[in-house]
Amino acid sequence: LTGRHLAVEPAASIGDLAPAVLAHNPRIILFSGHSFMGSLAFELDDGRIDLPPAAAFISQLSREAAPRLQCVFLNGCHTAALGHKLVEEMPWLCVICWCSITEDAAARAFATGFYDAVGDFIFNEEQIRIELAY
């Protein structure tokens, strides 16, 4: 994907999420990282890990905050509980998540294939059909 279609927020904190969503108005959000007990692991300024409650993540993805959002891709181990909460609160979203431990290589391969498919839709000037990308 070109820079016009892709924005990266490396080592983001939960506090970085709302400004990034506002700045980019994404159609797809990919979280690639670790999770623990239903929380995504974010990095604090001092390098420690922050495990905010699911509601802190979900609240920043509302239709008002992210009107174009179609898909949230939780590319980390055991993210299914959060994925189910997202779908319960935002049933219009497509959510991709893992219900097991995921090897880093497998997560990277799945994300690469997913974004290759999304890129094909964009390249061919077709509407992105998330359900066909995975």
Side-chain angles (χ1 to χ4, degrees):
L1 295 176
T2 66
R4 186 182 92 177
H5 296 287
L6 179 66
V8 177
E9 300 287 336
S13 70
I14 189 74
D16 295 327
L17 183 58
V21 168
L22 181 64
H24 304 294
N25 192 17
R27 289 197 284 180
I28 301 170
I29 290 179
L30 165 68
F31 173 85
S32 184
H34 300 283
S35 67
F36 184 71
M37 297 182 65
S39 293
L40 299 177
F42 289 92
E43 187 173 323
L44 296 169
D45 290 339
D46 63 6
R48 291 182 301 126
I49 299 299
D50 181 25
L51 299 170
F57 178 75
I58 293 170
S59 67
Q60 296 184 54
L61 305 179
S62 69
R63 277 202 171 149
E64 294 77 28
R68 296 182 340 132
L69 188 61
Q70 294 175 275
C71 177
V72 177
F73 183 176
L74 303 171
N75 200 15
C77 301
H78 297 292
T79 52
L82 177 57
H84 287 279
K85 288 179 186 175
L86 270 165
V87 171
E88 285 173 8
E89 293 194 32
M90 300 174 181
W92 62 90
L93 286 180
C94 174
V95 177
I96 303 167
C97 53
W98 294 88
C99 64
S100 63
I101 292 175
T102 307
E103 293 291 330
D104 288 348
R108 279 191 302 273
F110 187 85
T112 299
F114 175 78
Y115 278 109
D116 282 350
V118 168
D120 285 345
F121 284 115
I122 293 169
F123 180 78
N124 293 318
E125 298 180 0
E126 298 175 32
Q127 178 180 349
I128 297 172
R129 295 191 52 202
I130 299 295
E131 69 278 7
L132 298 179
Y134 64 95

